[in-house]
Amino acid sequence: MELSLLHMSTAQQAHDLLNGLECYSLGADIMAAKAVFLVIRVNGLLPQAANILKQEMLAKGGEVAVPSGALRMEAGRVDCIVMGTLAQYTRLVDILKQQPFELPELAKHLQLFAGLAAARPARNWFGTGADMAIGGLVDCDFRPSGVHDHAANTVALAWNLLEERSDFLVVTGSNNSMVQDVAQQLVCTAGCPVAAWVPNSQPITLAPSMPVIVQRGYGLSGADGPVLAMCTDEGTADFIEELMSGGIAAERLFVTAALHHGPSDTISGTLVPVSLPRLDAVVVRQQDIAMLSMSTRACVLTRLVDRGARVFITNAPRHVGELLDAIREDPWNSSPIRT
């Protein structure tokens, strides 16, 4: 007899696991939502709302941690921690929509979080059936001295990244025209998905089926392929909700963030914005991890994988791929990548 601890990040992951046990399909549908446990912090609730929330979640079999002052109605707005399975959240949302004290607004946000937890986007959007996808980050702003044709040099850089284990390419830079020109060349020649990204600018759609990177405050239209929503800590939930309300299904939406980790930071610190309802993709630049030891880099990536990241965009694809291989092969690692 052997036991192993499993971490279910999404209902789809739980469903796949149950199907692998050859459970009845109907039973797997019912049980999958019970296998995903979500802990969500809610800030700024009215004390009346906090008490109703606790009562309703307890009635569903979950729990809500509420400050004692709120229970005695002696506090102003309070923070709470909600704990329960995906199935319990689904039932809770239906009740909260009918309650006063701003609870319908909370229901909308909880429904978003639960919806994102129900499924993960497929990595085969990026031309791979593997459990991980690595995107080569092609920097158009990299201009070595002595090079006259910078566009051609950038295309050559892209080919090097493909040889270094990239499954797809992300062309980035500050010059919109150059980024689009290089990206269009690669769409025609690279034989893999290609995205173009100019930070703090309108999203670039190279072709309907190609990946698109979008940021808060910029509209998106005409995209049928995967959408990588580049998130910061501020307004993340509203940004994701706006995209989903605009017709972007959770199955093709990749919640994306850039790695925030300096040489003086600890592994227990914040690596990506903490309010993300889900984490699917991370931008990991070589310069952001260059000062870290090899073991620290592996620990950083392990934490990102534990958060659910399965797509890594980097200008060091071979190195990041080798680190992910090491995480996968570590017998002491119980991350979902191994289940």
Side-chain angles (χ1 to χ4, degrees):
M1 179 183 299
E2 293 183 1
L3 282 72
S4 59
L5 184 63
L6 304 179
H7 301 277
M8 296 295 105
S9 300
T10 67
Q12 184 61 54
Q13 184 186 7
H15 202 285
D16 292 343
L17 180 67
L18 296 171
N19 284 338
L21 293 176
E22 299 183 356
C23 297
Y24 284 112
S25 178
L26 180 60
D29 291 341
I30 296 172
M31 291 184 288
K34 298 178 180 179
V36 181
F37 193 84
L38 303 178
V39 180
I40 300 176
R41 183 182 182 114
V42 182
N43 294 334
L45 278 180
L46 292 168
Q48 300 95 322
N51 286 317
I52 294 174
L53 177 63
K54 183 175 182 69
Q55 293 168 11
E56 294 296 344
M57 194 50 156
L58 282 172
K60 308 297 180 292
E63 183 58 276
V64 179
V66 178
S68 59
L71 296 174
R72 297 191 299 269
M73 301 296 291
E74 297 173 354
R77 290 184 177 269
V78 298
D79 300 341
C80 302
I81 296 178
V82 190
M83 298 163 273
T85 66
L86 185 57
Q88 290 163 345
Y89 276 99
T90 301
R91 291 158 51 205
L92 175 68
V93 163
D94 292 336
I95 296 296
L96 294 184
K97 289 178 179 178
Q98 307 169 34
Q99 300 294 329
F101 305 117
E102 303 173 358
L103 285 171
E105 181 68 16
L106 173 62
K108 182 175 68 172
H109 289 294
L110 290 177
Q111 188 170 31
L112 170 67
F113 273 57
L116 289 171
R120 291 275 183 194
R123 267 83 65 194
N124 58 16
W125 282 111
F126 300 105
T128 175
D131 55 1
M132 292 281 175
I134 297 178
L137 189 63
V138 185
D139 188 357
C140 292
D141 290 340
F142 175 66
R143 300 195 170 196
S145 60
V147 174
H148 301 288
D149 191 340
H150 293 294
N153 184 73
T154 305
V155 171
L157 171 63
W159 285 107
N160 289 338
L161 292 173
L162 285 175
E163 292 178 357
E164 292 184 12
R165 196 171 165 168
S166 296
D167 300 303
F168 66 102
L169 296 171
V170 175
V171 183
T172 188
S174 57
N175 186 311
N176 195 301
S177 177
M178 183 173 178
V179 167
Q180 292 200 52
D181 288 346
V182 170
Q184 288 291 0
Q185 288 187 55
L186 293 170
V187 167
C188 298
T189 60
C192 70
V194 179
W197 173 36
V198 178
N200 302 315
S201 182
Q202 289 290 339
I204 300 171
T205 304
L206 299 172
S209 61
M210 287 292 175
V212 177
I213 298 177
V214 62
Q215 295 172 268
R216 181 173 172 81
Y218 299 95
L220 176 65
S221 61
D224 299 325
V227 175
L228 289 86
M230 191 64 66
C231 298
T232 61
D233 196 25
E234 183 179 354
T236 294
D238 291 337
F239 174 38
I240 298 299
E241 185 177 13
E242 178 184 331
L243 290 173
M244 295 182 68
S245 300
I248 306 300
E251 290 76 12
R252 67 184 183 100
L253 176 64
F254 289 78
V255 180
T256 309
L259 176 67
H260 295 290
H261 192 78
S264 61
D265 294 338
T266 63
I267 295 302
S268 60
T270 301
L271 298 178
V272 293
V274 294
S275 66
L276 293 179
R278 189 177 79 188
L279 181 64
D280 305 309
V282 183
V283 178
V284 182
R285 298 176 187 267
Q286 172 68 28
Q287 53 267 40
D288 294 330
I289 60 174
M291 299 300 293
L292 305 179
S293 68
M294 195 66 68
S295 60
T296 303
R297 296 178 193 180
C299 289
V300 167
L301 290 185
T302 298
R303 281 198 58 203
L304 294 173
V305 168
D306 286 343
R307 283 286 307 272
R310 294 295 181 273
V311 177
F312 291 85
I313 302 169
T314 176
N315 53 356
R318 176 176 291 140
H319 180 57
V320 169
E322 290 170 350
L323 289 172
L324 292 173
D325 287 344
I327 294 170
R328 184 186 292 105
E329 295 166 2
D330 180 3
W332 300 106
N333 176 29
S334 60
S335 299
I337 187 176
R338 302 187 69 244
T339 61

